[in-house]
Amino acid sequence: MKIHEYQARDLFRKYGIPVPEGELCHSVDEVKKKVSDKDKLRVVKAQVLVGGRGKAGGVKLATTKAEAIEKAKLILGMDIKGITVEKVLVADAVDIDREFYVGLINDRNAKAVTLMASSEGGVEIEEVAKTNPEKIIKMPIDPTMGLMDWQARKVALQLFNDPKQIRQAAEILVKLYKLYIETDSSLAEINPLVLTPDKQVLAIDGKMNFDDNALFRQKEIIAMREADENEKKELEANAKGLSYIKLDGNIGCMVNGAGLAMATMDMIKLYGGEPANFLDIGGSSNPQKVVDAMNILLGDKNVKSVMINIFGGITRCDDVARGLVAALDQIKTDIPIVIRLSGTNAKEGLEIIEKTGLPVVKTMSEAAQKAIELSQK
């Protein structure tokens, strides 16, 4: 689960991490009411659950209240990566002397939460990893001990020279770790963490993700959920026993089993295609699951063809075939569908499919190539 920047800042503030003041506004009228008349430098920031706001024009500076109102008019209603901006954060701007990055992630290789920090703040950490990997500090944290004060100071020493700033930064790191653990986070970033000309260390932008499996015990966090269209689809799929994640391609995938789903996406990429989703119908032999899956797949306007790849074990191929026929009776579509069935009751399933006139192939590589070919017509 993701949250907006303004929500991350609220959590930072609750845990004692210093952040500039700001007002969340859903309309221009709210900007007029909530923002003080005092003229000062402010930043108006689109609140959307995607990156690239700055490049899209969703972050603008304003020197007066009137200018903040005008900037809000430009940003509200803007489209950023397919998402309409419905709210803005109007925050006090900060003079910046230096920018840093600090973050916490679940590191599977280290089998621990890992603290990452860099003197290259203000840009995506993935970009720093590509261009200046030596600039990234990594410290795995013992889960039985947590982030200890001396460890936080050790990292802060590699970012700052002044003892006062080292103490400020170390305190922020310890508080961020406490927030991370207590809210069952899977990602917590401050980017940038800044040093101001008057030598204050502040968090001026934040990002947090949370473990979906722990939300049942995080009432405050789940109340923050503002699902976008893609996340609503994922939640809808989950409620129907499907695992669905939307991607950026145009070839819809329906598969049983996460491993086969990953292999299917790899096969599509191998032959030059782009998968539109990860969709695992699981091991159930329930035709309704196929109907639900097809509804989700064909609801994506980017999908130009569909590849169905089923290996029957617990899942019976004839049940999948019946579900597909039922789905196509309900949903009238001209999107081409390619089917590969093997395993339990594959012969019976193929007989059902052949009566519909849909393309049937024998191998996964044939299915991928055929799906790509049809998507281009």
Side-chain angles (χ1 to χ4, degrees):
M1 173 186 150
K2 300 176 182 178
I3 59 172
H4 290 284
E5 175 199 357
Y6 78 90
Q7 295 168 314
R9 287 164 64 117
D10 287 345
L11 287 172
F12 290 170
R13 194 176 288 110
K14 178 181 176 181
Y15 277 76
I17 297 170
V19 294
E21 293 300 317
E23 296 286 355
L24 180 70
C25 303
H26 294 80
S27 66
V28 174
D29 285 340
E30 278 195 28
V31 177
K32 292 175 182 176
K33 290 175 185 175
K34 290 185 174 182
V35 175
S36 71
D37 294 331
K38 183 180 178 183
D39 288 342
K40 58 180 175 178
L41 189 63
R42 297 181 175 94
V43 60
V44 184
K45 306 171 87 172
Q47 297 298 288
V48 288
L49 295 173
V50 292
R53 293 177 301 173
K55 290 178 182 176
V59 178
K60 298 182 185 295
L61 287 172
T63 55
T64 65
K65 179 175 180 176
E67 196 176 346
I69 292 168
E70 289 305 310
K71 301 297 186 187
K73 282 182 185 176
L74 293 173
I75 294 173
L76 286 165
M78 176 186 288
D79 183 280
I80 299 178
K81 294 185 178 178
I83 297 175
T84 303
V85 179
E86 297 178 346
K87 48 189 166 288
V88 292
L89 178 67
V90 184
D92 292 349
V94 174
D95 289 329
I96 298 171
D97 192 10
R98 292 177 63 197
E99 294 181 293
F100 306 88
Y101 167 93
V102 296
L104 292 160
I105 59 163
N106 290 338
D107 187 341
R108 291 187 178 185
N109 291 329
K111 299 177 183 175
V113 175
T114 291
L115 170 63
M116 298 194 301
S118 175
S119 57
E120 301 289 312
V123 296
E124 292 183 359
I125 194 65
E126 293 85 359
E127 190 60 35
V128 179
K130 286 180 187 175
T131 56
N132 296 298
E134 73 283 354
K135 295 285 184 72
I136 299 176
I137 304 157
K138 292 184 179 180
M139 177 181 284
I141 301 166
D142 185 332
T144 63
M145 302 298 290
L147 180 63
M148 305 188 74
D149 291 345
W150 67 268
Q151 292 175 307
R153 287 194 296 271
K154 181 178 179 181
V155 172
L157 269 165
Q158 297 175 72
L159 302 176
F160 299 90
N161 297 317
D162 184 275
K164 182 181 177 183
Q165 295 153 26
I166 291 167
R167 282 195 299 273
Q168 287 182 63
E171 286 175 10
I172 289 171
L173 294 178
V174 171
K175 290 171 181 175
L176 185 66
Y177 179 77
K178 186 172 189 284
L179 167 61
Y180 186 93
I181 295 299
E182 291 184 358
T183 58
D184 290 308
S185 299
S186 56
L187 171 73
E189 288 184 341
I190 300 174
N191 190 22
L193 180 74
V194 303
L195 176 66
T196 65
D198 61 355
K199 307 308 177 189
Q200 296 299 307
V201 182
L202 300 174
I204 66 169
D205 200 348
K207 179 179 179 180
M208 292 193 72
N209 295 348
F210 303 92
D211 184 349
D212 289 338
N213 296 309
L215 289 177
F216 71 93
R217 64 184 184 190
Q218 294 292 345
K219 301 294 187 287
E220 181 185 358
I221 300 303
I222 202 167
M224 295 180 174
R225 172 170 258 160
E226 294 183 22
D228 59 21
E229 286 306 311
N230 291 340
E231 196 174 3
K232 284 176 185 174
K233 266 193 175 182
E234 291 173 15
L235 292 170
E236 176 194 346
N238 186 258
K240 292 175 178 176
L242 305 168
S243 296
Y244 173 82
I245 299 170
K246 188 182 182 321
L247 301 173
D248 295 329
N250 63 357
I251 299 174
C253 305
M254 186 199 301
V255 190
N256 65 315
L260 186 59
M262 297 295 286
T264 301
M265 293 191 293
D266 285 346
M267 189 68 73
I268 290 169
K269 295 279 284 185
L270 177 67
Y271 289 107
E274 290 293 337
N277 63 273
F278 170 101
L279 198 162
D280 172 15
I281 64 171
S284 166
S285 275
N286 182 354
Q288 184 58 42
K289 271 194 171 184
V290 182
V291 175
D292 294 335
M294 285 301 294
N295 274 308
I296 291 169
L297 280 182
L298 298 177
D300 182 352
K301 65 181 185 297
N302 295 325
V303 169
K304 303 302 180 191
S305 70
V306 173
M307 175 177 167
I308 299 175
N309 187 18
I310 301 296
F311 180 79
I314 298 172
T315 305
R316 287 170 37 186
C317 293
D318 56 329
D319 280 341
V320 172
R322 289 190 190 94
L324 180 59
V325 171
L328 294 176
D329 283 342
Q330 296 174 27
I331 312 164
K332 301 303 178 186
T333 181
D334 57 1
I335 293 174
I337 299 168
V338 180
I339 303 154
R340 179 245 183 182
L341 303 177
S342 66
T344 305
N345 290 3
K347 181 182 176 183
E348 293 85 344
L350 289 169
E351 287 173 357
I352 294 169
I353 295 297
E354 283 168 358
K355 291 175 185 176
T356 67
L358 293 172
V360 175
V361 296
K362 291 183 178 179
T363 68
M364 190 157 63
S365 60
E366 282 182 77
Q369 291 174 77
K370 188 69 174 176
I372 293 166
E373 177 193 333
L374 292 172
S375 73
Q376 295 167 348
K377 290 185 178 179

